[in-house]
PDB file of all heavy atoms in Angstrom:
ATOM      1  N   ASP A  58     -98.337  50.692 -94.208  1.00 82.00           N
ATOM      2  CA  ASP A  58     -98.565  51.885 -93.411  1.00 82.00           C
ATOM      3  C   ASP A  58     -97.813  53.049 -94.026  1.00 82.00           C
ATOM      4  O   ASP A  58     -96.633  52.925 -94.356  1.00 82.00           O
ATOM      5  CB  ASP A  58     -98.080  51.680 -91.963  1.00 82.00           C
ATOM      6  CG  ASP A  58     -98.925  50.669 -91.216  1.00 82.00           C
ATOM      7  OD1 ASP A  58    -100.116  50.567 -91.531  1.00 82.00           O
ATOM      8  OD2 ASP A  58     -98.390  49.997 -90.331  1.00 82.00           O
ATOM      9  N   THR A  59     -98.483  54.176 -94.175  1.00 84.00           N
ATOM     10  CA  THR A  59     -97.832  55.372 -94.691  1.00 84.00           C
ATOM     11  C   THR A  59     -96.709  55.747 -93.735  1.00 84.00           C
ATOM     12  O   THR A  59     -96.923  55.871 -92.535  1.00 84.00           O
ATOM     13  CB  THR A  59     -98.843  56.521 -94.826  1.00 84.00           C
ATOM     14  OG1 THR A  59     -99.904  56.071 -95.666  1.00 84.00           O
ATOM     15  CG2 THR A  59     -98.211  57.760 -95.402  1.00 84.00           C
ATOM     16  N   SER A  60     -95.501  55.943 -94.274  1.00 89.00           N
ATOM     17  CA  SER A  60     -94.356  56.194 -93.402  1.00 89.00           C
ATOM     18  C   SER A  60     -93.370  57.196 -93.989  1.00 89.00           C
ATOM     19  O   SER A  60     -92.243  57.303 -93.534  1.00 89.00           O
ATOM     20  CB  SER A  60     -93.645  54.861 -93.121  1.00 89.00           C
ATOM     21  OG  SER A  60     -92.668  55.038 -92.133  1.00 89.00           O
ATOM     22  N   ASP A  61     -93.763  57.926 -94.996  1.00 91.00           N
ATOM     23  CA  ASP A  61     -92.875  58.874 -95.674  1.00 91.00           C
ATOM     24  C   ASP A  61     -92.431  59.987 -94.729  1.00 91.00           C
ATOM     25  O   ASP A  61     -93.252  60.606 -94.054  1.00 91.00           O
ATOM     26  CB  ASP A  61     -93.600  59.468 -96.880  1.00 91.00           C
ATOM     27  CG  ASP A  61     -92.661  60.202 -97.815  1.00 91.00           C
ATOM     28  OD1 ASP A  61     -92.043  61.187 -97.370  1.00 91.00           O
ATOM     29  OD2 ASP A  61     -92.549  59.782 -98.973  1.00 91.00           O
ATOM     30  N   VAL A  62     -91.141  60.269 -94.682  1.00 95.00           N
ATOM     31  CA  VAL A  62     -90.596  61.293 -93.793  1.00 95.00           C
ATOM     32  C   VAL A  62     -91.200  62.667 -94.084  1.00 95.00           C
ATOM     33  O   VAL A  62     -91.350  63.486 -93.172  1.00 95.00           O
ATOM     34  CB  VAL A  62     -89.049  61.323 -93.858  1.00 95.00           C
ATOM     35  CG1 VAL A  62     -88.565  61.857 -95.206  1.00 95.00           C
ATOM     36  CG2 VAL A  62     -88.476  62.148 -92.716  1.00 95.00           C
ATOM     37  N   ALA A  63     -91.559  62.921 -95.334  1.00 93.00           N
ATOM     38  CA  ALA A  63     -92.121  64.225 -95.694  1.00 93.00           C
ATOM     39  C   ALA A  63     -93.484  64.471 -95.051  1.00 93.00           C
ATOM     40  O   ALA A  63     -93.942  65.614 -94.989  1.00 93.00           O
ATOM     41  CB  ALA A  63     -92.241  64.348 -97.219  1.00 93.00           C
ATOM     42  N   LEU A  64     -94.114  63.433 -94.540  1.00 91.00           N
ATOM     43  CA  LEU A  64     -95.421  63.563 -93.903  1.00 91.00           C
ATOM     44  C   LEU A  64     -95.332  63.674 -92.381  1.00 91.00           C
ATOM     45  O   LEU A  64     -96.350  63.747 -91.709  1.00 91.00           O
ATOM     46  CB  LEU A  64     -96.292  62.352 -94.265  1.00 91.00           C
ATOM     47  CG  LEU A  64     -96.557  62.159 -95.753  1.00 91.00           C
ATOM     48  CD1 LEU A  64     -97.244  60.825 -96.000  1.00 91.00           C
ATOM     49  CD2 LEU A  64     -97.373  63.308 -96.304  1.00 91.00           C
ATOM     50  N   LYS A  65     -94.111  63.696 -91.847  1.00 93.00           N
ATOM     51  CA  LYS A  65     -93.929  63.642 -90.394  1.00 93.00           C
ATOM     52  C   LYS A  65     -93.174  64.851 -89.882  1.00 93.00           C
ATOM     53  O   LYS A  65     -92.415  65.484 -90.621  1.00 93.00           O
ATOM     54  CB  LYS A  65     -93.166  62.364 -90.020  1.00 93.00           C
ATOM     55  CG  LYS A  65     -93.871  61.100 -90.457  1.00 93.00           C
ATOM     56  CD  LYS A  65     -93.032  59.872 -90.187  1.00 93.00           C
ATOM     57  CE  LYS A  65     -93.763  58.620 -90.666  1.00 93.00           C
ATOM     58  NZ  LYS A  65     -93.029  57.415 -90.343  1.00 93.00           N
ATOM     59  N   GLU A  66     -93.382  65.156 -88.617  1.00 95.00           N
ATOM     60  CA  GLU A  66     -92.608  66.200 -87.953  1.00 95.00           C
ATOM     61  C   GLU A  66     -92.374  65.778 -86.506  1.00 95.00           C
ATOM     62  O   GLU A  66     -92.971  64.825 -86.027  1.00 95.00           O
ATOM     63  CB  GLU A  66     -93.303  67.567 -88.030  1.00 95.00           C
ATOM     64  CG  GLU A  66     -94.677  67.615 -87.392  1.00 95.00           C
ATOM     65  CD  GLU A  66     -95.381  68.944 -87.606  1.00 95.00           C
ATOM     66  OE1 GLU A  66     -94.912  69.747 -88.418  1.00 95.00           O
ATOM     67  OE2 GLU A  66     -96.409  69.156 -86.953  1.00 95.00           O
ATOM     68  N   ILE A  68     -89.888  64.231 -85.245  1.00 96.00           N
ATOM     69  CA  ILE A  68     -89.394  62.848 -85.252  1.00 96.00           C
ATOM     70  C   ILE A  68     -88.345  62.686 -84.152  1.00 96.00           C
ATOM     71  O   ILE A  68     -87.393  63.453 -84.083  1.00 96.00           O
ATOM     72  CB  ILE A  68     -88.804  62.496 -86.628  1.00 96.00           C
ATOM     73  CG1 ILE A  68     -89.882  62.612 -87.696  1.00 96.00           C
ATOM     74  CG2 ILE A  68     -88.172  61.106 -86.611  1.00 96.00           C
ATOM     75  CD1 ILE A  68     -89.357  62.546 -89.115  1.00 96.00           C
TER      76      ILE A  68
END
Side-chain angles (χ1 to χ4, degrees):
D58 292 330
T59 303
S60 189
D61 193 299
V62 70
L64 300 171
K65 301 175 181 184
E66 60 186 11
I68 299 169

